[in-house]
Amino acid sequence: MLDQPLASRDGGQVTLTAEIVEVFESRLRGALIRPSDSAYDEARQVYNAMHDRRPALIVQARDAADVTAAVGFARDEGLALAVRGGGHSVPGFGTCDGGLVLDLGAMTGVRVDPVKGRVRAEGGCTWADVDHATHGFGLATPGGVVSSTGIGGLSLGGGMGHLSRRCGLSCDNLLSADVVTAAGDLVTCDAETHPELFWALRGGGGNFGVVTSFQYRTHPVAEVLGGPTFFHMDGDVMRSYQAFIEQAPEELNAVFAIVLAPALPFVPEEWHGKPVMGVVTCWSGNEEQDDWVRGEIAGFGQVVGQMLWRMPYPVINTLFDELLPAGLKHYWKANVLKRFTEEAIAVHLEHGPKVPSLESGPFIFPINGACHRVGVGDSAFAHRAANFSLVIAGSWQDAADNEANIRWVRDYHAAIAPHCEAGGYINFMSGDDQARAPANYGANHRRLREIKAVYDPENLFRLNQNVEPAE
């Protein structure tokens, strides 16, 4: 017998004999880790330290055959199943208590085809893995803004980052995927083969199977002009940012934030730790226009400090890495919006300066430009009419600060939500946002439920922003 109760998918308990587990282990190339193993405590950790969970078994898959075996085992034995790629899930969907964790972290193979302009990456890759491989050919595919983020969760939820306005979302650049379904089948899907599954993967989250391999379109991006500009707290900075990003060249991406000014050399010491407005810029256009970009961004308002420099594209995806390492505590809320109303700006001016930690803040990602060239029904990501994606991200170090940080996020979100659209980006949602699924998936929710009923009728893949199968 295992030395702890196991959680079933329906919330009850199941019992496994040692013999059943040993037979399962014999089918794996990767490691099967039990709670009694010395590697267990390290293997169960995830990015968000709010989730101190104790799975009954952890499979560290080496290949697609391991994934197929683990999915089949969880299904047949009735176990709760958590699938982990990079482990960055803020709600902690990459782990569980008493169930089976399927960890893809050892599956990190990447292959670039520079002639066809494609890259294929295994499901355990992070964006650092993909950026490194593609940059060697002067290419890039749109990823996120923290290099240790897994490609799987980001892409399946949509995928916003520094190249979104120029190249679209990560899911917009997905060309095909190898997927292990709930039935244990390994299928390759694209626009012509299993097209409904392929449609659902592009914004429908981890609801439809375990993706063991992603193939993306790449773009010629070698260097960018990037970095932050900090401003005095002033509503006119938001107004200028909005007006500029609505008509700026698509090669220019800029993420807006309200944060505590960091102790960086280009920020005057008297501003360290004080609330400021910030814009993180990524210009992937012509180097001859770099000074124009610097000037346009600086023109948003009274500048506290600016540092924009030429860098290899992979570097811009590391700018937040030191600020946001694994082991912090996180609680987030999110919405999408078409425009900042005057009422919304007033809310940001009230709640933004109360940001409780250096790692926290409201962050606004532009999702216009190339993101709008994909229709609402062309992929599962439904927020094609929105121009911005807002996340109120609470991130902090000390458990003693949990209550204060969570309260700040909830109060801020309650105040801003009436001035936004009903739904939001699923990768920015917390675990208590399950009731928002119809709004988060928007006009595509019904179709997603119908596809779920075909590929996962028993809702094996439920530890996510869940789409329930249609009846």
Side-chain angles (χ1 to χ4, degrees):
M1 304 282 289
L2 288 180
D3 56 2
Q4 68 180 82
L6 283 83
S8 72
R9 292 193 299 278
D10 60 8
Q13 291 187 354
V14 297
T15 302
L16 296 178
T17 65
E19 290 75 16
I20 290 174
V21 175
E22 287 170 3
V23 170
F24 171 48
E25 186 174 24
S26 71
R27 298 177 58 198
L28 301 172
R29 290 189 67 200
L32 178 66
I33 298 177
R34 300 165 174 83
S36 58
D37 293 337
S38 61
Y40 178 75
D41 279 335
E42 181 178 356
R44 70 185 180 90
Q45 292 177 5
V46 291
Y47 181 76
N48 185 357
M50 292 284 280
H51 308 295
D52 185 23
R53 295 175 184 160
R54 300 188 66 85
L57 295 168
I58 302 171
V59 174
Q60 294 180 329
R62 293 268 303 275
D63 52 28
D66 282 356
V67 174
T68 301
V71 169
F73 183 76
R75 180 195 64 235
D76 295 344
E77 301 300 332
L79 285 170
L81 175 63
V83 181
R84 181 190 305 166
H88 270 237
S89 169
V90 167
F93 293 141
T95 187
C96 60
D97 282 318
L100 175 67
V101 168
L102 173 53
D103 185 351
L104 308 182
M107 297 175 59
T108 57
V110 183
R111 181 180 177 85
V112 181
D113 184 338
V115 176
K116 293 184 177 180
R118 299 179 179 183
V119 58
R120 181 174 292 280
E122 290 186 300
C125 287
T126 65
W127 286 107
D129 298 321
V130 174
D131 288 345
H132 171 76
T134 55
H135 182 68
F137 300 93
L139 301 171
T141 198
V145 298
V146 176
S147 72
S148 57
T149 304
I151 67 170
L154 191 93
S155 299
L156 295 175
M160 299 174 187
H162 293 300
L163 296 178
S164 296
R165 296 189 69 247
R166 172 179 171 175
C167 305
L169 305 174
S170 299
C171 70
D172 298 338
N173 290 272
L174 188 63
L175 298 174
S176 69
D178 296 332
V179 188
V180 175
T181 67
D185 299 322
L186 176 61
V187 302
T188 298
C189 64
D190 56 26
E192 297 180 353
T193 306
H194 297 281
E196 284 292 277
L197 177 60
F198 183 62
W199 178 90
L201 293 179
R202 292 175 292 146
N207 278 285
F208 305 95
V210 182
V211 180
T212 61
S213 177
F214 296 82
Q215 182 181 213
Y216 301 96
R217 179 186 302 109
T218 64
H219 303 264
V221 180
E223 285 192 345
V224 298
L225 176 76
T229 307
F230 298 113
F231 302 89
H232 288 237
M233 290 291 304
D234 187 339
D236 282 341
V237 176
M238 292 194 74
R239 297 181 187 95
S240 298
Y241 166 80
Q242 175 169 245
F244 179 74
I245 209 69
E246 286 178 342
Q247 50 78 43
E250 292 180 358
E251 294 88 350
L252 197 151
N253 205 87
V255 179
F256 181 89
I258 300 175
V259 296
L260 299 179
L264 295 174
F266 65 94
V267 177
E269 186 174 353
E270 63 269 22
W271 279 93
H272 293 178
K274 293 184 178 179
V276 292
M277 290 180 169
V279 174
V280 178
T281 303
C282 176
W283 166 248
S284 59
N286 195 315
E287 185 175 358
E288 294 177 357
Q289 294 179 272
D290 285 1
D291 287 341
W292 171 82
V293 171
R294 291 186 181 96
E296 289 293 312
I297 300 298
F300 291 174
Q302 190 172 353
V303 173
V304 172
Q306 183 182 63
M307 185 63 179
L308 301 183
W309 73 101
R310 274 272 147 184
M311 64 186 75
Y313 170 72
V315 172
I316 199 167
N317 285 331
T318 68
L319 296 187
F320 295 117
D321 286 8
E322 185 175 349
L323 181 66
L324 299 171
L328 295 181
K329 301 176 187 304
H330 301 268
Y331 182 81
W332 298 358
K333 290 288 184 184
N335 282 90
V336 295
L337 59 149
K338 294 181 179 179
R339 287 187 57 80
F340 311 147
T341 64
E342 286 301 310
E343 294 81 4
I345 292 173
V347 170
H348 288 298
L349 289 172
E350 177 185 355
H351 290 268
K354 300 175 185 177
V355 57
S357 69
L358 190 65
E359 300 87 355
S360 298
F363 297 89
I364 299 173
F365 289 72
I367 49 172
N368 60 348
C371 301
H372 282 186
R373 291 199 287 275
V374 180
V376 171
D378 293 341
S379 73
F381 184 87
H383 303 299
R384 301 294 179 173
N387 290 312
F388 303 99
S389 177
L390 164 69
V391 58
I392 302 166
S395 304
W396 63 98
Q397 299 181 24
D398 192 339
D401 298 328
N402 287 4
E403 183 179 350
N405 281 271
I406 292 171
R407 186 187 311 116
W408 174 76
V409 173
R410 288 176 172 169
D411 289 349
Y412 200 149
H413 182 255
I416 199 64
H419 310 293
C420 302
E421 305 299 303
Y425 176 39
I426 63 169
N427 286 349
F428 287 161
M429 294 290 157
S430 286
D432 55 7
D433 284 317
Q434 294 286 0
R436 297 180 65 189
N440 293 337
Y441 293 112
N444 294 326
H445 187 238
R446 179 64 195 179
R447 184 176 173 185
L448 286 167
R449 292 192 64 199
E450 292 169 352
I451 298 170
K452 178 82 168 183
V454 173
Y455 286 95
D456 185 15
E458 301 301 320
N459 205 9
L460 172 65
F461 303 111
R462 66 176 62 186
L463 293 183
N464 46 47
Q465 296 295 343
N466 195 232
V467 173
E468 295 185 353
E471 297 178 0

